[in-house]
Amino acid sequence: MITHAVIFAPIGQVSRSDQIVQRLSNAIITGLLEPKEQLPNETDLAKMMGVSHITIREALNTLRANNLIHTVRGRNGGSFVCENIDGKNSPLHPFKAISTDYLSDLGEMHCAIISHSARLASRRMTGADIAKFREFVEVLRQAKSPELMTQADMRCLLAIAASSHSARLANQELQVQAEWASLVAILYRTDSIHAEIIALYSALADALAAHNEAESVQLATRIIDTFTYYLIEKKLKYNSN
């Protein structure tokens, strides 16, 4: 699944175990990694995330200490996501560790990637590309859970970046989604946000099909700006509770 590719994407050379803890805990608390779901083994995680076995082991130990995962020994063993996690009150909740300034900065960075991707995509997308993008939007429309909505949304955004035909933009989008996906999963617990985003994606599909560059950029910007606005609003409400 696309969200798993994002969750387990390479961390980078200068990262530490606490960054892995934050990414995986975000995915667990927001439901992108589901209760009882088994994580990849330590060897695979180290390869996928581009870090050492020792770093992975430290991160998993922290997740266990915070009762987010548990380990089963034996032939069918491994590390599994715990059940009945009180995500809102967890000290590792995504909103606990980030500020409104951070969310604003992340939104601006994401907007720059997606708006420029839409600019290039409006010039370069073929009929087959448009049809595939509309399929992704329809999957988002039909999604019934925050997890499925998030997966579909990430696929839509990656499709826009990929349609720019810029490998750098697509790679940057994948990296941003490592932070973005778990936050969006929180928003998709609100039905009205789901409906609002679908309307924007549908309009963007029409603009891309018409090769309308200005409108494509405007709508792509509105999608990310809308998410950013609601994320900041949620963060402020979280702080007041």
Side-chain angles (χ1 to χ4, degrees), residues 1-9 32 147 150-152 154-155 177 181:
M1 291 185 292
I2 190 65
T3 47
H4 285 61
V6 169
I7 292 165
F8 301 122
L32 294 178
E147 296 74 33
T150 302
Q151 291 169 18
M154 298 305 102
R155 191 176 291 114
Q177 284 193 9

Side-chain angles (χ1 to χ4, degrees), residues 20-69:
I20 298 173
V21 169
Q22 190 63 57
R23 184 188 293 184
L24 296 185
S25 63
N26 286 355
I28 291 169
I29 290 167
T30 57
L32 294 178
L33 292 175
E34 300 177 352
K36 299 183 179 181
E37 181 171 343
Q38 184 173 5
L39 300 182
N41 62 44
E42 288 186 11
T43 299
D44 289 342
L45 275 175
K47 290 179 180 178
M48 294 162 74
M49 305 186 84
V51 296
S52 70
H53 286 78
I54 294 174
T55 301
I56 289 294
R57 192 166 296 121
E58 289 177 355
L60 294 180
N61 285 339
T62 301
L63 292 171
R64 273 191 289 271
N66 284 283
N67 297 315
L68 294 177
I69 66 171

Side-chain angles (χ1 to χ4, degrees), residues 149 187-200 226 230 233-234:
M149 292 173 194
L187 295 183
Y188 272 132
R189 285 172 168 75
T190 304
D191 290 341
S192 60
I193 293 177
H194 182 211
E196 184 175 353
I197 294 300
I198 289 169
L200 288 172
T226 298
Y230 284 126
E233 183 180 60
K234 288 278 188 182

Side-chain angles (χ1 to χ4, degrees), residues 98-216:
I98 57 179
S99 65
T100 54
D101 285 344
Y102 180 90
L103 289 171
S104 179
D105 186 60
L106 178 63
E108 289 172 0
M109 173 66 175
H110 201 180
C111 189
I113 294 169
I114 289 300
S115 62
H116 191 57
S117 293
R119 183 188 307 279
L120 297 177
S122 69
R123 306 171 188 169
R124 300 171 178 176
M125 287 182 85
T126 65
D129 293 333
I130 294 294
K132 180 58 68 175
F133 182 67
R134 290 191 191 277
E135 287 180 19
F136 292 156
V137 174
E138 186 59 28
V139 171
L140 175 58
R141 187 192 309 278
Q142 298 297 328
K144 302 300 183 185
S145 70
E147 296 74 33
L148 292 176
M149 292 173 194
T150 302
Q151 291 169 18
D153 193 296
M154 298 305 102
R155 191 176 291 114
C156 288
L157 292 172
L158 281 173
I160 296 168
S163 295
S164 72
H165 293 188
S166 167
R168 287 184 182 273
L169 281 173
N171 184 58
Q172 286 294 312
E173 173 59 22
L174 187 61
Q175 291 183 42
V176 168
Q177 284 193 9
E179 298 177 78
W180 192 255
S182 59
L183 298 171
V184 167
I186 297 172
L187 295 183
Y188 272 132
R189 285 172 168 75
T190 304
D191 290 341
S192 60
I193 293 177
H194 182 211
E196 184 175 353
I197 294 300
I198 289 169
L200 288 172
Y201 272 124
S202 297
L204 176 57
D206 291 341
L208 290 169
H211 301 288
N212 188 326
E213 181 177 316
E215 189 173 359
S216 296

